[in-house]
Amino acid sequence: MSIGDGTEGLRAEAPFDAIIVTAGTDAIPTPYLDQLANQGRLIIPVGKSPHYQTMFRFTLEGEKLFLDDLGGFSFVSLIGKFGWPEW
């Protein structure tokens, strides 16, 4: 078992077919995108407010990233190197 900063992903186990993030953030952590397999999906709540985000599904197909808006949500804030800035 490994304990660390979840915003950095888990490079040693990549690539991943799916990454599901259960905390909101204002920007997509680049390690998540870097660690997706081809045809991989990233589901993550993203928004400029720590109280409201939009759930997005990103799908990587070759070098293209496709986006689906899954609606509005409110999650706890993602913290760590690539998470929310200090409020």
Side-chain angles (χ1 to χ4, degrees), residues 21-81:
V21 182
T22 59
T25 183
D26 66 338
I28 302 159
T30 54
Y32 294 169
L33 297 175
D34 293 342
Q35 294 175 31
L36 272 182
N38 189 37
Q39 302 296 316
R41 288 127 9 248
L42 166 64
I43 298 178
I44 184 170
V46 180
K48 294 298 179 190
S49 166
H51 307 292
Y52 180 85
Q53 302 88 34
T54 301
M55 183 71 75
F56 290 107
R57 177 179 53 220
F58 295 89
T59 304
L60 183 64
E61 294 184 14
E63 294 188 17
K64 292 184 180 182
L65 193 62
F66 294 89
L67 168 71
D68 293 304
D69 181 331
L70 304 178
F73 289 83
S74 183
F75 279 80
V76 297
S77 297
L78 183 65
I79 56 172
K81 181 176 179 181

